[in-house]
Amino acid sequence: MAEPAAASSAGDAPEPPSKNALKKAQKEKEKAEKKAAAKARELADRQKKEAADGEDVSKDSYGELPLLDSKGSDSTSTSRVLLSTIAEHEDKEITFRCWVENARSQSAKLAFVNLRQEVDTVQAVIAASDKLSKQMVKFCGTVSTESTLVVTGLVKRVKEPIKSATVKDFELHILKLFVEVKAEVPLPLQVEDAERPMPEAGLGDEDEKPAEGDARPLVGLNTRLNNRTIDLRAKINQAIFGIKSGVYLLFLEFLSKKRFTHVQTPKILGAASEGGANVFEVNYFGKKAYLAQSPQFYKQMLIASRFQRVMEIGPVFRAENSNTARHLTEFTGLDMEMEIQEHYHEVMSVLEDLMLFIFNELNTRYKKETELVRSVYHIDEFKLPESGKVPRIPFVEGIKMLREAGEEVNDYDDMSTPQEKHLGRLVLEKYNSDFYVLDQFPLAIRPAYTMPSPHNPLLSNSYDMFMRGQEILSGAQRIHDAELLADQMRKHDPPIDPNGAGTKEYVDSFRYGCPPHGGGGFGLERIVQFWLGLPNIRMCSAFPRDPQRVTP
């Protein structure tokens, strides 16, 4: 009876899946298919992006150039422009050399680079597009500060003035950017720190901690001078040396029109040109020689040679152990010498008009540079007198003015630097002029070749010129009679032998007939320092020399 039951059980068909089970399976299948499709799309997008990145549509528009001429490359004859002329090229492509003031990436598709040429800066923009790759954007946004570039871009006017650049109304849309010379980082001195004023304490030699609320320290003079090639890149320093070059050229321009002949005299002498001990002695083939304290002897010898008017610009060496803010052991002298027709004040008049010409032209031709420097080192505008109205103050009157103001000074003593500055303030108050002349100095404090005054044997026909109460020129009528010159040299303190090596030829040159003459010598660096109100004269010498520094 049991067998039929067993046979019946074995022959039954399996039950079909329920409707719920079928729906669940269908959903799982669809979910798997969607996931697979998403992965496929992601892979395709990544492959497409990698393909696009691999192509880099801008690959020929950026990068690092080989060392100039190291590959024997030919000139492209591409015209280069000056950044200062950018306004003339609105909506045009320009190419120019510059360097990176700073670079920053805003995003993967946008970067900004501030570019500089001389004292001019412009904001440059680079944005990714179908024609400009993100790789190029990334490269431009990470170029190291101070790297030298060759850039091509489109000049576009902006709606709002750009505060971070000197070019306010235009920006550059970069099309090509090549690194010509890459700057190493980190820099030993940040150029932006060299744009700031020096510490006020002392001579500004040491770095100074930042003021409260300011993250950056004030960089001292020694740090700047030790890294001078970086320091000189600061816009303020470029402006200082633009003005210095201007004074040099204006000096030549004015005197050339006055028929002065530009001469060059020796700087290795057989005798000290000013007398005294403040000379650098050199070994000249086993003999003693000296670096020139001035071109004085030779200027006068040229007048004796029938040159009516001469001028010279050249180095001057003074072995003075003066570690002050206005002294250098090597500076640039602006010298002139001329015949006198009737009175030595003729020379003073030429010198006064020369300086008024220089000052007025600095106010016009070099206005931008002057304003840039004075925006950092704040000083009152230089007060100028009119031509023919430069205050000429007899030395004895200057002494009287100081006494009346409370200074203790004797009639025939030389003034100290603080007394000179005090007198400058008194003159400004009385005459409304930052430029003036002191005349008729005591004979005892002038060089031996100075003509004594015919009115007072203790005084001389000599003069100094001052800017803001500080000396910029020393000058005088010179002795043009050989016997009087020899006598004055013997009486000088210390005495000078008129028959000594290097002086005999000088004295003898007046034995053959020499007209009355006079002149003066300026310190170029002092003119620049006092015009701009700079705290230290070393700022006006590219690579200054003082008792402590002979490098770099």
Side-chain angles (χ1 to χ4, degrees):
M1 293 295 294
E3 288 182 3
S8 171
S9 176
D12 289 343
E15 292 183 9
S18 67
K19 290 183 178 181
N20 289 337
L22 290 172
K23 287 181 179 180
K24 184 178 180 180
Q26 183 63 28
K27 286 181 179 179
E28 291 293 335
K29 181 180 178 183
E30 290 174 356
K31 185 177 180 180
E33 288 175 350
K34 287 179 180 180
K35 188 175 182 181
K39 285 186 176 180
R41 286 194 301 270
E42 183 181 343
L43 177 63
D45 289 344
R46 186 166 64 247
Q47 289 174 339
K48 184 179 179 181
K49 179 179 181 299
E50 289 174 353
D53 289 347
E55 290 175 8
D56 191 357
V57 293
S58 303
K59 63 183 179 180
D60 295 327
S61 299
Y62 71 97
E64 294 188 18
L65 296 176
L67 190 67
L68 183 63
D69 213 30
S70 63
K71 302 292 185 181
S73 55
D74 295 328
S75 171
T76 63
S77 300
T78 302
S79 178
R80 305 282 183 95
V81 304
L82 293 175
L83 195 51
S84 58
T85 67
I86 193 169
E88 302 171 14
H89 303 279
E90 184 175 356
D91 295 325
K92 297 178 182 177
E93 270 188 34
I94 61 170
T95 298
F96 59 98
R97 173 182 282 151
C98 55
W99 70 86
V100 180
E101 197 169 56
N102 64 68
R104 62 193 187 278
S105 295
Q106 291 292 99
S107 68
K109 293 185 176 182
L110 180 65
F112 292 91
V113 187
N114 265 42
L115 304 174
R116 181 177 161 196
Q117 185 186 82
E118 296 180 344
V119 298
D120 299 299
T121 58
V122 66
Q123 176 178 277
V125 183
I126 180 164
S129 66
D130 293 340
K131 297 181 180 179
L132 203 150
S133 69
K134 288 193 287 185
Q135 295 100 312
M136 182 173 173
V137 173
K138 181 179 180 181
F139 179 86
C140 294
T142 56
V143 177
S144 60
T145 301
E146 293 300 305
S147 291
T148 304
L149 311 179
V150 177
V151 174
T152 298
L154 184 65
V155 178
K156 301 298 290 185
R157 184 178 291 273
V158 294
K159 295 180 180 179
E160 298 290 334
I162 298 171
K163 297 179 180 180
S164 62
T166 63
V167 176
K168 303 293 184 185
D169 300 322
F170 297 91
E171 67 181 7
L172 189 77
H173 291 193
I174 292 178
L175 301 174
K176 296 180 181 179
L177 185 147
F178 292 99
V179 176
E180 196 168 36
V181 184
K182 186 177 181 179
E184 294 183 9
V185 291
L187 296 171
L189 169 70
Q190 295 300 316
V191 175
E192 62 179 348
D193 287 337
E195 300 282 5
R196 308 176 75 210
M198 284 195 300
E200 293 182 3
L203 298 179
D205 289 337
E206 303 302 326
D207 296 352
E208 189 174 279
K209 291 182 180 179
E212 189 174 347
D214 192 344
R216 292 157 54 194
L218 293 178
V219 181
L221 185 62
N222 278 332
T223 300
R224 297 177 188 227
L225 295 181
N226 290 339
N227 301 282
R228 191 61 161 157
T229 54
I230 301 296
D231 180 49
L232 287 172
R233 296 181 184 187
K235 288 189 284 291
I236 183 174
N237 286 327
Q238 300 271 319
I240 288 170
F241 286 92
I243 291 166
K244 184 177 181 180
S245 174
V247 175
Y248 182 111
L249 295 172
L250 292 168
F251 177 87
L252 293 177
E253 180 181 332
F254 180 87
L255 293 183
S256 294
K257 291 178 180 177
K258 296 289 184 181
R259 299 184 297 104
F260 280 76
T261 301
H262 193 190
V263 298
Q264 295 78 38
T265 61
K267 304 306 167 203
I268 301 175
L269 311 182
S273 52
E274 301 288 342
N278 295 327
V279 291
F280 289 109
E281 184 179 304
V282 297
N283 185 336
Y284 193 72
F285 301 105
K287 297 178 291 185
K288 287 184 180 181
Y290 306 89
L291 296 182
Q293 293 170 290
S294 80
Q296 188 57 49
F297 284 8
Y298 294 96
K299 288 192 302 177
Q300 292 184 252
M301 292 166 75
L302 285 164
I303 298 295
S305 300
R306 300 295 187 253
F307 287 81
Q308 291 183 315
R309 298 182 167 198
V310 296
M311 60 178 169
E312 178 174 12
I313 300 178
V316 175
F317 303 91
R318 298 285 171 90
E320 298 179 18
N321 193 15
S322 297
N323 295 280
T324 77
R326 66 172 197 169
H327 283 90
L328 294 170
T329 54
E330 179 184 354
F331 62 90
T332 306
L334 307 177
D335 279 89
M336 57 84 79
E337 204 79 16
M338 59 180 278
E339 286 186 6
I340 294 170
Q341 302 302 318
E342 296 180 341
H343 196 278
Y344 77 96
H345 280 183
E346 297 164 17
V347 187
M348 287 173 56
S349 295
V350 172
L351 289 167
E352 289 168 354
D353 286 346
L354 164 65
M355 291 312 299
L356 291 179
F357 171 76
I358 290 175
F359 295 146
N360 283 311
E361 293 306 308
L362 288 177
N363 272 331
T364 53
R365 300 189 205 181
Y366 297 87
K367 181 179 177 63
K368 183 172 80 169
E369 292 86 349
T370 297
E371 289 179 347
L372 192 158
V373 179
R374 289 181 181 168
S375 71
V376 177
Y377 293 96
H378 306 287
I379 193 169
D380 293 336
E381 187 173 345
F382 197 85
K383 297 291 193 306
L384 284 175
E386 297 177 12
S387 178
K389 295 185 179 180
V390 176
R392 291 182 181 178
I393 303 168
F395 185 87
V396 293
E397 183 181 326
I399 295 294
K400 181 182 178 183
M401 290 173 67
L402 286 172
R403 282 180 181 155
E404 290 174 351
E407 294 280 354
E408 294 184 6
V409 56
N410 295 323
D411 287 346
Y412 300 106
D413 287 347
D414 202 358
M415 295 180 194
S416 66
T417 298
Q419 288 168 343
E420 286 181 349
K421 291 181 179 179
H422 190 178
L423 181 60
R425 294 190 294 272
L426 297 173
V427 171
L428 178 60
E429 182 179 344
K430 183 175 181 179
Y431 297 99
N432 194 35
S433 175
D434 279 311
F435 175 57
Y436 61 94
V437 181
L438 276 185
D439 191 16
Q440 290 278 303
F441 272 74
L443 183 62
I445 61 175
R446 305 302 277 197
Y449 48 74
T450 306
M451 182 66 77
S453 171
H455 309 295
N456 184 338
L458 296 178
L459 299 178
S460 62
N461 290 354
S462 63
Y463 41 85
D464 281 359
M465 291 186 171
F466 294 82
M467 291 175 64
R468 302 188 196 272
Q470 302 200 67
E471 177 204 331
I472 58 165
L473 169 135
S474 182
Q477 179 182 353
R478 326 299 189 179
I479 297 174
H480 59 283
D481 177 83
E483 295 306 323
L484 177 57
L485 176 59
D487 183 55
Q488 289 297 113
M489 292 174 77
R490 295 187 187 99
K491 293 178 180 177
H492 194 261
D493 184 19
I496 302 171
D497 182 5
N499 294 311
T503 55
K504 185 178 187 302
E505 296 84 358
Y506 164 66
V507 175
D508 285 349
S509 67
F510 302 111
R511 299 188 187 281
Y512 314 114
C514 177
H517 60 279
F522 295 94
L524 174 56
E525 289 79 6
R526 283 194 180 183
I527 294 174
V528 177
Q529 180 189 7
F530 303 148
W531 173 254
L532 295 172
L534 298 174
N536 201 298
I537 196 170
R538 290 157 186 79
M539 300 173 68
C540 305
S541 175
F543 301 98
R545 294 293 177 259
D546 61 33
Q548 310 303 322
R549 181 175 291 275
V550 291
T551 60

